[in-house]
Amino acid sequence: MSIVVANWKMNGNVFLVKQFVHRLNEIEAISKIIVCPPAALLGNFENFKHFIGAQNCFYEESGAFTGENSPKLLKELGCGYVLLGHSERRAIFHESDEMICQKWRAAVKQSLQPIICVGEKLEERGNWKDVLGHQLKNYVGHCDQNDTIFAYEPVWSIGTGIVPSASELGAVVSFLKEKLPRSALLYGGSVNAKNAGEIMGIKGVDGVLVGGASLQIDEFENIIKMVS
Ligand code: PEP
């Protein structure tokens, strides 16, 4: 089954969330749709007929960690999934591969399915094999791949409107699939309704992770149609 993940980077407008939830509930999708809002908005998904995920979690199960959300809490709030290692978390919040791996362990323990994001920066573009190999070293051979989804998100593509060519993406996807043959693999980075069909046509791509375009509800519905 193909997968469509929405990374809703919202800074307000609870009313809009309620509208989006209503619209998405009207969709009969063949794909699995996973919406990941900021944790503060998780309470607005009552009767949502698709899946919800968190954008991050903490690596400790319990304790005094002001401001953090444990996997257990996210699970109780209805999350089935959690994005981990998004490039914004890595760059702005200085999350290391080790910290992301700790979060991955904590999430799996609570049966929260991790979606691990990996991807090279613009200056690393010629060196993507080494970068991705490094980012994946804690999972290849260590994780039950069925439990973990991976998302290839080249940092230079996120929010820029630039997507890798089909041949570039094909090369990366076959490299990743060789390392993680049983995991679902998503592509993320400037996905829209125009390019989603071509991206899904690349062998090994199981779905898409959508940021900006997932907040334009008509566009997002069209992406879902292209992916299904
Ligand atoms: C993202 O935020 O993970 C993302 C892929 O964003 P965009 O679709 O806007 O490039």
Side-chain angles (χ1 to χ4, degrees):
M1 182 197 272
S2 51
I3 302 170
V4 182
V5 179
N7 183 16
W8 280 1
K9 292 180 261 191
M10 304 182 92
N11 301 308
N13 212 338
V14 175
F15 181 67
L16 199 63
V17 177
K18 290 184 193 295
Q19 269 187 333
F20 280 11
V21 164
H22 182 73
R23 281 281 295 269
L24 291 177
N25 270 347
E26 289 176 344
I27 293 181
E28 287 303 332
I30 301 164
S31 308
K32 177 180 278 190
I33 300 171
I34 306 167
V35 174
C36 303
L41 294 176
L42 283 169
N44 294 285
F45 286 78
E46 217 170 289
N47 301 322
F48 189 49
K49 71 174 203 189
H50 305 286
F51 297 89
I52 53 172
Q55 295 181 353
N56 180 33
C57 73
F58 195 47
Y59 49 77
E60 293 289 354
E61 260 174 63
S62 61
F65 301 103
T66 302
E68 292 294 333
N69 295 302
S70 71
K72 188 167 179 281
L73 175 62
L74 295 170
K75 188 88 197 187
E76 279 176 21
L77 288 171
C79 292
Y81 299 84
V82 59
L83 292 173
L84 293 177
H86 190 279
S87 68
E88 287 148 19
R89 302 287 322 169
R90 292 176 189 263
I92 302 166
F93 301 98
H94 309 292
E95 290 193 4
S96 64
D97 287 324
E98 280 58 44
M99 189 191 286
I100 295 160
C101 183
Q102 272 182 290
K103 293 182 174 197
W104 167 72
R105 269 200 209 93
V108 168
K109 209 167 163 197
Q110 292 298 330
S111 307
L112 198 55
Q113 193 166 13
I115 303 170
I116 307 271
C117 304
V118 295
E120 78 285 0
K121 297 184 196 131
L122 183 60
E123 64 272 24
E124 298 167 332
R125 205 167 163 182
N127 203 19
W128 59 265
K129 270 192 191 169
D130 288 345
V131 175
L132 297 181
H134 195 77
Q135 290 176 342
L136 291 173
K137 70 178 188 310
N138 291 320
Y139 312 101
V140 177
H142 300 289
C143 77
D144 177 349
Q145 296 173 17
N146 296 311
D147 283 353
T148 305
I149 298 171
F150 288 87
Y152 170 56
E153 296 210 295
V155 181
W156 47 269
S157 178
I158 297 177
T160 60
I162 304 167
V163 291
S165 68
S167 68
E168 278 176 304
L169 185 54
V172 176
V173 168
S174 66
F175 172 82
L176 294 174
K177 276 285 176 181
E178 209 168 289
K179 288 191 172 296
L180 301 157
R182 293 191 308 284
S183 289
L185 182 64
L186 314 179
Y187 167 77
S190 296
V191 174
N192 58 38
K194 279 207 184 91
N195 60 28
E198 188 181 1
I199 290 165
M200 286 306 294
I202 293 169
K203 190 168 174 278
V205 175
D206 300 304
V208 290
L209 199 168
V210 189
S214 69
L215 288 174
Q216 300 160 33
I217 196 69
D218 294 331
E219 180 79 2
F220 189 53
E221 280 191 12
N222 287 331
I223 292 173
I224 293 169
K225 279 186 202 141
M226 296 308 294
V227 171
S228 290

Short mmCIF file of all heavy atoms in Angstrom, two decimals, residues 40-100:
data_model
loop_
_atom_site.label_atom_id
_atom_site.label_comp_id
_atom_site.label_asym_id
_atom_site.label_seq_id
_atom_site.Cartn_x
_atom_site.Cartn_y
_atom_site.Cartn_z
N ALA A 40 1.04 20.20 19.90
CA ALA A 40 0.00 21.01 20.55
C ALA A 40 -1.35 20.89 19.86
O ALA A 40 -2.39 21.23 20.44
CB ALA A 40 0.44 22.48 20.57
N LEU A 41 -1.38 20.40 18.62
CA LEU A 41 -2.64 20.30 17.87
C LEU A 41 -3.21 18.88 17.84
O LEU A 41 -4.22 18.62 17.20
CB LEU A 41 -2.43 20.81 16.44
CG LEU A 41 -2.11 22.30 16.32
CD1 LEU A 41 -1.81 22.69 14.88
CD2 LEU A 41 -3.28 23.15 16.83
N LEU A 42 -2.54 17.96 18.53
CA LEU A 42 -2.97 16.55 18.44
C LEU A 42 -4.39 16.31 18.98
O LEU A 42 -5.02 15.32 18.63
CB LEU A 42 -1.97 15.64 19.19
CG LEU A 42 -0.67 15.35 18.42
CD1 LEU A 42 0.35 14.68 19.34
CD2 LEU A 42 -0.93 14.50 17.19
N GLY A 43 -4.87 17.23 19.79
CA GLY A 43 -6.21 17.05 20.37
C GLY A 43 -7.35 17.35 19.39
O GLY A 43 -8.52 17.23 19.75
N ASN A 44 -7.02 17.73 18.16
CA ASN A 44 -8.06 18.14 17.21
C ASN A 44 -8.41 17.06 16.19
O ASN A 44 -8.99 17.36 15.15
CB ASN A 44 -7.61 19.39 16.46
CG ASN A 44 -7.50 20.58 17.38
OD1 ASN A 44 -8.51 21.14 17.78
ND2 ASN A 44 -6.29 20.90 17.78
N PHE A 45 -8.05 15.82 16.49
CA PHE A 45 -8.22 14.75 15.50
C PHE A 45 -9.24 13.70 15.90
O PHE A 45 -9.19 12.57 15.42
CB PHE A 45 -6.85 14.10 15.21
CG PHE A 45 -5.96 14.99 14.37
CD1 PHE A 45 -5.29 16.04 14.95
CD2 PHE A 45 -5.83 14.79 13.01
CE1 PHE A 45 -4.49 16.89 14.19
CE2 PHE A 45 -5.04 15.62 12.23
CZ PHE A 45 -4.37 16.67 12.83
N GLU A 46 -10.16 14.09 16.76
CA GLU A 46 -11.17 13.13 17.18
C GLU A 46 -11.97 12.66 15.95
O GLU A 46 -12.32 13.48 15.09
CB GLU A 46 -12.11 13.81 18.17
CG GLU A 46 -12.57 12.85 19.26
CD GLU A 46 -13.29 13.60 20.34
OE1 GLU A 46 -12.61 14.34 21.09
OE2 GLU A 46 -14.51 13.46 20.40
N ASN A 47 -12.22 11.37 15.85
CA ASN A 47 -12.96 10.78 14.73
C ASN A 47 -12.25 10.89 13.38
O ASN A 47 -12.86 10.78 12.33
CB ASN A 47 -14.37 11.37 14.58
CG ASN A 47 -15.17 11.14 15.84
OD1 ASN A 47 -15.06 10.08 16.46
ND2 ASN A 47 -15.95 12.13 16.24
N PHE A 48 -10.96 11.17 13.41
CA PHE A 48 -10.19 11.22 12.16
C PHE A 48 -10.10 9.81 11.61
O PHE A 48 -9.77 8.88 12.34
CB PHE A 48 -8.79 11.77 12.47
CG PHE A 48 -7.96 12.09 11.25
CD1 PHE A 48 -8.50 12.84 10.20
CD2 PHE A 48 -6.64 11.66 11.15
CE1 PHE A 48 -7.73 13.16 9.09
CE2 PHE A 48 -5.87 11.98 10.05
CZ PHE A 48 -6.41 12.72 9.01
N LYS A 49 -10.38 9.64 10.32
CA LYS A 49 -10.42 8.26 9.83
C LYS A 49 -9.09 7.80 9.21
O LYS A 49 -8.98 6.67 8.77
CB LYS A 49 -11.59 8.06 8.87
CG LYS A 49 -11.46 8.71 7.53
CD LYS A 49 -12.63 8.27 6.67
CE LYS A 49 -12.23 8.43 5.21
NZ LYS A 49 -13.33 8.25 4.31
N HIS A 50 -8.10 8.69 9.20
CA HIS A 50 -6.78 8.29 8.72
C HIS A 50 -5.86 8.14 9.94
O HIS A 50 -6.35 7.95 11.04
CB HIS A 50 -6.27 9.33 7.71
CG HIS A 50 -7.22 9.55 6.58
ND1 HIS A 50 -7.40 8.64 5.56
CD2 HIS A 50 -8.10 10.56 6.34
CE1 HIS A 50 -8.32 9.10 4.72
NE2 HIS A 50 -8.76 10.24 5.18
N PHE A 51 -4.56 8.25 9.73
CA PHE A 51 -3.63 8.03 10.84
C PHE A 51 -2.97 9.34 11.26
O PHE A 51 -2.81 10.24 10.44
CB PHE A 51 -2.54 7.04 10.42
CG PHE A 51 -3.09 5.68 10.10
CD1 PHE A 51 -3.52 5.36 8.81
CD2 PHE A 51 -3.22 4.72 11.09
CE1 PHE A 51 -4.05 4.12 8.52
CE2 PHE A 51 -3.75 3.48 10.81
CZ PHE A 51 -4.17 3.18 9.52
N ILE A 52 -2.59 9.40 12.53
CA ILE A 52 -1.84 10.59 12.95
C ILE A 52 -0.48 10.21 13.50
O ILE A 52 -0.27 9.11 14.02
CB ILE A 52 -2.60 11.50 13.95
CG1 ILE A 52 -3.09 10.73 15.16
CG2 ILE A 52 -3.71 12.25 13.30
CD1 ILE A 52 -3.66 11.66 16.24
N GLY A 53 0.44 11.13 13.31
CA GLY A 53 1.80 10.93 13.79
C GLY A 53 2.30 12.20 14.45
O GLY A 53 1.72 13.27 14.26
N ALA A 54 3.38 12.07 15.21
CA ALA A 54 3.99 13.24 15.84
C ALA A 54 5.18 13.68 14.98
O ALA A 54 5.69 12.91 14.17
CB ALA A 54 4.44 12.90 17.25
N GLN A 55 5.60 14.92 15.18
CA GLN A 55 6.74 15.43 14.41
C GLN A 55 8.07 15.16 15.10
O GLN A 55 9.14 15.41 14.53
CB GLN A 55 6.58 16.94 14.18
CG GLN A 55 5.39 17.29 13.31
CD GLN A 55 5.25 18.78 13.07
OE1 GLN A 55 5.97 19.58 13.66
NE2 GLN A 55 4.30 19.14 12.23
N ASN A 56 7.98 14.64 16.32
CA ASN A 56 9.19 14.42 17.12
C ASN A 56 8.76 13.71 18.39
O ASN A 56 7.57 13.68 18.72
CB ASN A 56 9.80 15.79 17.48
CG ASN A 56 11.05 15.68 18.32
OD1 ASN A 56 11.83 14.74 18.18
ND2 ASN A 56 11.24 16.64 19.21
N CYS A 57 9.68 13.10 19.10
CA CYS A 57 9.39 12.61 20.46
C CYS A 57 10.66 12.68 21.28
O CYS A 57 11.75 12.90 20.73
CB CYS A 57 8.83 11.18 20.44
SG CYS A 57 10.05 9.90 20.06
N PHE A 58 10.51 12.49 22.58
CA PHE A 58 11.70 12.47 23.43
C PHE A 58 12.17 11.03 23.58
O PHE A 58 11.43 10.10 23.25
CB PHE A 58 11.38 13.08 24.81
CG PHE A 58 12.61 13.41 25.61
CD1 PHE A 58 13.68 14.08 25.02
CD2 PHE A 58 12.71 13.05 26.94
CE1 PHE A 58 14.83 14.38 25.75
CE2 PHE A 58 13.86 13.36 27.68
CZ PHE A 58 14.91 14.02 27.08
N TYR A 59 13.39 10.84 24.09
CA TYR A 59 13.91 9.48 24.16
C TYR A 59 13.75 8.83 25.53
O TYR A 59 14.04 7.65 25.69
CB TYR A 59 15.38 9.41 23.71
CG TYR A 59 16.30 10.43 24.34
CD1 TYR A 59 16.75 10.29 25.64
CD2 TYR A 59 16.70 11.54 23.60
CE1 TYR A 59 17.60 11.23 26.19
CE2 TYR A 59 17.55 12.49 24.14
CZ TYR A 59 18.00 12.31 25.45
OH TYR A 59 18.82 13.25 25.99
N GLU A 60 13.30 9.60 26.52
CA GLU A 60 13.08 9.00 27.83
C GLU A 60 11.60 8.64 27.97
O GLU A 60 10.73 9.35 27.48
CB GLU A 60 13.45 9.97 28.95
CG GLU A 60 14.94 10.30 29.04
CD GLU A 60 15.78 9.14 29.55
OE1 GLU A 60 15.23 8.10 29.95
OE2 GLU A 60 17.02 9.29 29.54
N GLU A 61 11.34 7.53 28.68
CA GLU A 61 9.96 7.08 28.86
C GLU A 61 9.18 7.96 29.82
O GLU A 61 8.00 8.24 29.64
CB GLU A 61 9.96 5.66 29.42
CG GLU A 61 9.72 4.62 28.36
CD GLU A 61 9.87 3.23 28.93
OE1 GLU A 61 9.07 2.88 29.82
OE2 GLU A 61 10.77 2.52 28.48
N SER A 62 9.87 8.35 30.90
CA SER A 62 9.20 9.19 31.90
C SER A 62 10.25 10.00 32.64
O SER A 62 11.44 9.76 32.49
CB SER A 62 8.42 8.31 32.89
OG SER A 62 9.34 7.47 33.56
N GLY A 63 9.77 10.94 33.43
CA GLY A 63 10.71 11.76 34.20
C GLY A 63 10.40 13.23 34.01
O GLY A 63 9.44 13.59 33.33
N ALA A 64 11.22 14.07 34.64
CA ALA A 64 10.98 15.51 34.60
C ALA A 64 11.77 16.12 33.45
O ALA A 64 12.97 16.38 33.57
CB ALA A 64 11.40 16.12 35.94
N PHE A 65 11.11 16.29 32.32
CA PHE A 65 11.77 16.85 31.13
C PHE A 65 10.84 17.92 30.54
O PHE A 65 10.17 17.69 29.53
CB PHE A 65 12.06 15.75 30.11
CG PHE A 65 12.94 14.66 30.66
CD1 PHE A 65 12.40 13.43 31.04
CD2 PHE A 65 14.30 14.87 30.84
CE1 PHE A 65 13.20 12.44 31.58
CE2 PHE A 65 15.11 13.88 31.37
CZ PHE A 65 14.56 12.67 31.75
N THR A 66 10.80 19.04 31.20
CA THR A 66 9.86 20.10 30.84
C THR A 66 9.85 20.38 29.33
O THR A 66 10.91 20.59 28.74
CB THR A 66 10.21 21.38 31.62
OG1 THR A 66 10.16 21.08 33.01
CG2 THR A 66 9.25 22.53 31.30
N GLY A 67 8.67 20.33 28.79
CA GLY A 67 8.53 20.69 27.37
C GLY A 67 8.64 19.53 26.41
O GLY A 67 8.35 19.70 25.22
N GLU A 68 9.06 18.38 26.88
CA GLU A 68 9.23 17.24 25.97
C GLU A 68 7.99 16.34 25.97
O GLU A 68 7.22 16.31 26.93
CB GLU A 68 10.45 16.41 26.39
CG GLU A 68 11.77 17.12 26.19
CD GLU A 68 12.09 17.38 24.72
OE1 GLU A 68 11.61 16.61 23.85
OE2 GLU A 68 12.82 18.34 24.43
N ASN A 69 7.82 15.58 24.90
CA ASN A 69 6.70 14.63 24.78
C ASN A 69 7.25 13.22 24.66
O ASN A 69 8.00 12.93 23.71
CB ASN A 69 5.85 14.96 23.55
CG ASN A 69 5.18 16.31 23.67
OD1 ASN A 69 4.42 16.55 24.61
ND2 ASN A 69 5.47 17.21 22.76
N SER A 70 6.88 12.36 25.60
CA SER A 70 7.38 10.98 25.55
C SER A 70 6.59 10.18 24.52
O SER A 70 5.43 10.50 24.23
CB SER A 70 7.25 10.31 26.92
OG SER A 70 5.88 10.08 27.18
N PRO A 71 7.19 9.12 23.98
CA PRO A 71 6.45 8.25 23.06
C PRO A 71 5.16 7.72 23.68
O PRO A 71 4.14 7.63 23.01
CB PRO A 71 7.44 7.12 22.77
CG PRO A 71 8.78 7.71 23.00
CD PRO A 71 8.60 8.70 24.11
N LYS A 72 5.21 7.42 24.99
CA LYS A 72 4.02 6.89 25.66
C LYS A 72 2.87 7.90 25.60
O LYS A 72 1.72 7.55 25.32
CB LYS A 72 4.39 6.56 27.11
CG LYS A 72 3.34 5.84 27.90
CD LYS A 72 3.98 5.30 29.19
CE LYS A 72 2.95 4.58 30.02
NZ LYS A 72 2.11 5.50 30.78
N LEU A 73 3.20 9.15 25.89
CA LEU A 73 2.19 10.20 25.87
C LEU A 73 1.61 10.37 24.46
O LEU A 73 0.40 10.47 24.26
CB LEU A 73 2.81 11.53 26.35
CG LEU A 73 1.92 12.76 26.28
CD1 LEU A 73 0.71 12.62 27.17
CD2 LEU A 73 2.70 14.00 26.68
N LEU A 74 2.49 10.35 23.46
CA LEU A 74 2.04 10.53 22.08
C LEU A 74 1.12 9.39 21.67
O LEU A 74 0.11 9.58 20.99
CB LEU A 74 3.24 10.63 21.14
CG LEU A 74 4.11 11.87 21.37
CD1 LEU A 74 5.41 11.78 20.59
CD2 LEU A 74 3.35 13.15 21.00
N LYS A 75 1.48 8.21 22.13
CA LYS A 75 0.65 7.03 21.84
C LYS A 75 -0.75 7.22 22.46
O LYS A 75 -1.76 6.96 21.83
CB LYS A 75 1.38 5.82 22.42
CG LYS A 75 0.81 4.50 22.08
CD LYS A 75 1.38 3.96 20.79
CE LYS A 75 0.44 2.87 20.34
NZ LYS A 75 0.82 2.11 19.26
N GLU A 76 -0.75 7.67 23.71
CA GLU A 76 -2.04 7.89 24.38
C GLU A 76 -2.88 8.95 23.68
O GLU A 76 -4.11 8.93 23.71
CB GLU A 76 -1.81 8.33 25.84
CG GLU A 76 -1.52 7.17 26.75
CD GLU A 76 -1.19 7.61 28.18
OE1 GLU A 76 -1.55 8.74 28.58
OE2 GLU A 76 -0.56 6.82 28.90
N LEU A 77 -2.21 9.88 23.00
CA LEU A 77 -2.93 10.94 22.28
C LEU A 77 -3.37 10.48 20.89
O LEU A 77 -3.89 11.27 20.11
CB LEU A 77 -2.05 12.19 22.17
CG LEU A 77 -1.85 12.95 23.49
CD1 LEU A 77 -0.79 14.04 23.33
CD2 LEU A 77 -3.16 13.57 23.97
N GLY A 78 -3.12 9.23 20.58
CA GLY A 78 -3.63 8.67 19.33
C GLY A 78 -2.63 8.52 18.21
O GLY A 78 -2.98 8.10 17.11
N CYS A 79 -1.37 8.87 18.47
CA CYS A 79 -0.36 8.74 17.40
C CYS A 79 0.00 7.28 17.16
O CYS A 79 0.17 6.51 18.11
CB CYS A 79 0.92 9.48 17.77
SG CYS A 79 0.74 11.25 17.82
N GLY A 80 0.13 6.94 15.90
CA GLY A 80 0.64 5.61 15.55
C GLY A 80 2.04 5.72 14.98
O GLY A 80 2.73 4.71 14.81
N TYR A 81 2.46 6.95 14.67
CA TYR A 81 3.72 7.19 13.96
C TYR A 81 4.45 8.38 14.58
O TYR A 81 3.82 9.21 15.23
CB TYR A 81 3.45 7.50 12.48
CG TYR A 81 2.76 6.35 11.77
CD1 TYR A 81 1.37 6.20 11.84
CD2 TYR A 81 3.50 5.41 11.07
CE1 TYR A 81 0.74 5.12 11.23
CE2 TYR A 81 2.87 4.34 10.45
CZ TYR A 81 1.50 4.20 10.53
OH TYR A 81 0.88 3.14 9.93
N VAL A 82 5.76 8.43 14.32
CA VAL A 82 6.50 9.63 14.73
C VAL A 82 7.63 9.90 13.72
O VAL A 82 8.36 8.98 13.35
CB VAL A 82 7.04 9.49 16.18
CG1 VAL A 82 7.97 8.29 16.36
CG2 VAL A 82 7.74 10.76 16.63
N LEU A 83 7.69 11.14 13.27
CA LEU A 83 8.81 11.54 12.41
C LEU A 83 10.04 11.71 13.29
O LEU A 83 9.96 12.33 14.36
CB LEU A 83 8.53 12.90 11.75
CG LEU A 83 7.42 13.00 10.71
CD1 LEU A 83 7.23 14.48 10.32
CD2 LEU A 83 7.77 12.18 9.48
N LEU A 84 11.15 11.17 12.86
CA LEU A 84 12.39 11.34 13.63
C LEU A 84 13.52 11.75 12.69
O LEU A 84 13.61 11.26 11.56
CB LEU A 84 12.78 10.04 14.35
CG LEU A 84 11.83 9.58 15.46
CD1 LEU A 84 12.29 8.24 16.03
CD2 LEU A 84 11.73 10.61 16.58
N GLY A 85 14.36 12.66 13.17
CA GLY A 85 15.54 13.06 12.39
C GLY A 85 15.23 13.93 11.20
O GLY A 85 16.02 13.99 10.25
N HIS A 86 14.09 14.64 11.24
CA HIS A 86 13.82 15.59 10.15
C HIS A 86 15.00 16.57 10.06
O HIS A 86 15.59 16.92 11.09
CB HIS A 86 12.51 16.33 10.43
CG HIS A 86 12.05 17.15 9.27
ND1 HIS A 86 12.57 18.40 8.99
CD2 HIS A 86 11.14 16.89 8.29
CE1 HIS A 86 11.98 18.87 7.89
NE2 HIS A 86 11.12 17.97 7.46
N SER A 87 15.32 17.02 8.87
CA SER A 87 16.52 17.86 8.72
C SER A 87 16.43 19.14 9.55
O SER A 87 17.45 19.68 9.98
CB SER A 87 16.75 18.20 7.25
OG SER A 87 15.73 19.03 6.80
N GLU A 88 15.19 19.62 9.80
CA GLU A 88 15.07 20.82 10.63
C GLU A 88 15.43 20.51 12.09
O GLU A 88 16.02 21.33 12.78
CB GLU A 88 13.64 21.39 10.52
CG GLU A 88 13.44 22.05 9.16
CD GLU A 88 12.03 21.97 8.62
OE1 GLU A 88 11.08 21.72 9.38
OE2 GLU A 88 11.88 22.17 7.39
N ARG A 89 15.10 19.30 12.54
CA ARG A 89 15.50 18.88 13.90
C ARG A 89 17.03 18.73 13.97
O ARG A 89 17.66 19.09 14.95
CB ARG A 89 14.86 17.54 14.30
CG ARG A 89 13.36 17.48 14.29
CD ARG A 89 12.67 18.20 15.39
NE ARG A 89 13.30 18.14 16.67
CZ ARG A 89 12.92 18.92 17.71
NH1 ARG A 89 11.92 19.77 17.58
NH2 ARG A 89 13.53 18.82 18.87
N ARG A 90 17.59 18.17 12.91
CA ARG A 90 19.05 17.97 12.91
C ARG A 90 19.77 19.32 12.89
O ARG A 90 20.72 19.55 13.65
CB ARG A 90 19.49 17.17 11.67
CG ARG A 90 19.01 15.71 11.66
CD ARG A 90 19.42 15.04 10.35
NE ARG A 90 18.84 13.73 10.16
CZ ARG A 90 19.46 12.58 10.45
NH1 ARG A 90 20.68 12.58 10.93
NH2 ARG A 90 18.85 11.43 10.24
N ALA A 91 19.30 20.25 12.03
CA ALA A 91 20.04 21.51 11.84
C ALA A 91 19.76 22.51 12.96
O ALA A 91 20.68 23.10 13.51
CB ALA A 91 19.67 22.12 10.49
N ILE A 92 18.49 22.69 13.32
CA ILE A 92 18.14 23.77 14.25
C ILE A 92 18.30 23.31 15.70
O ILE A 92 18.73 24.07 16.57
CB ILE A 92 16.70 24.27 13.99
CG1 ILE A 92 16.57 24.74 12.54
CG2 ILE A 92 16.32 25.40 14.95
CD1 ILE A 92 15.14 24.93 12.05
N PHE A 93 17.95 22.03 15.95
CA PHE A 93 17.98 21.54 17.34
C PHE A 93 19.18 20.63 17.60
O PHE A 93 19.24 19.97 18.63
CB PHE A 93 16.65 20.84 17.67
CG PHE A 93 15.48 21.76 17.50
CD1 PHE A 93 14.71 21.74 16.34
CD2 PHE A 93 15.17 22.70 18.46
CE1 PHE A 93 13.64 22.61 16.15
CE2 PHE A 93 14.10 23.58 18.29
CZ PHE A 93 13.34 23.54 17.14
N HIS A 94 20.09 20.61 16.64
CA HIS A 94 21.36 19.89 16.78
C HIS A 94 21.19 18.43 17.17
O HIS A 94 21.92 17.91 18.01
CB HIS A 94 22.28 20.61 17.79
CG HIS A 94 22.42 22.07 17.49
ND1 HIS A 94 23.08 22.52 16.37
CD2 HIS A 94 21.94 23.16 18.13
CE1 HIS A 94 23.00 23.84 16.33
NE2 HIS A 94 22.31 24.25 17.38
N GLU A 95 20.19 17.76 16.60
CA GLU A 95 20.01 16.34 16.92
C GLU A 95 21.05 15.51 16.16
O GLU A 95 21.19 15.62 14.95
CB GLU A 95 18.59 15.90 16.54
CG GLU A 95 17.55 16.51 17.44
CD GLU A 95 16.18 15.85 17.30
OE1 GLU A 95 16.04 14.86 16.56
OE2 GLU A 95 15.25 16.34 17.96
N SER A 96 21.75 14.69 16.91
CA SER A 96 22.78 13.84 16.30
C SER A 96 22.15 12.51 15.88
O SER A 96 21.05 12.15 16.32
CB SER A 96 23.88 13.57 17.33
OG SER A 96 23.32 12.83 18.41
N ASP A 97 22.89 11.75 15.09
CA ASP A 97 22.42 10.41 14.70
C ASP A 97 22.18 9.56 15.95
O ASP A 97 21.24 8.76 15.99
CB ASP A 97 23.44 9.72 13.79
CG ASP A 97 23.45 10.34 12.40
OD1 ASP A 97 22.38 10.74 11.92
OD2 ASP A 97 24.53 10.42 11.81
N GLU A 98 23.02 9.74 16.97
CA GLU A 98 22.90 8.94 18.19
C GLU A 98 21.61 9.29 18.93
O GLU A 98 20.88 8.43 19.41
CB GLU A 98 24.12 9.14 19.10
CG GLU A 98 25.34 8.33 18.69
CD GLU A 98 25.81 8.61 17.27
OE1 GLU A 98 25.87 9.81 16.89
OE2 GLU A 98 26.09 7.65 16.53
N MET A 99 21.32 10.58 19.00
CA MET A 99 20.10 11.00 19.70
C MET A 99 18.86 10.50 18.94
O MET A 99 17.89 10.02 19.54
CB MET A 99 20.05 12.53 19.81
CG MET A 99 18.94 13.02 20.71
SD MET A 99 18.69 14.80 20.58
CE MET A 99 20.10 15.40 21.47
N ILE A 100 18.92 10.59 17.64
CA ILE A 100 17.79 10.13 16.82
C ILE A 100 17.59 8.62 17.03
O ILE A 100 16.46 8.14 17.14
CB ILE A 100 18.03 10.48 15.33
CG1 ILE A 100 18.06 12.00 15.15
CG2 ILE A 100 16.96 9.84 14.42
CD1 ILE A 100 18.72 12.49 13.88
#
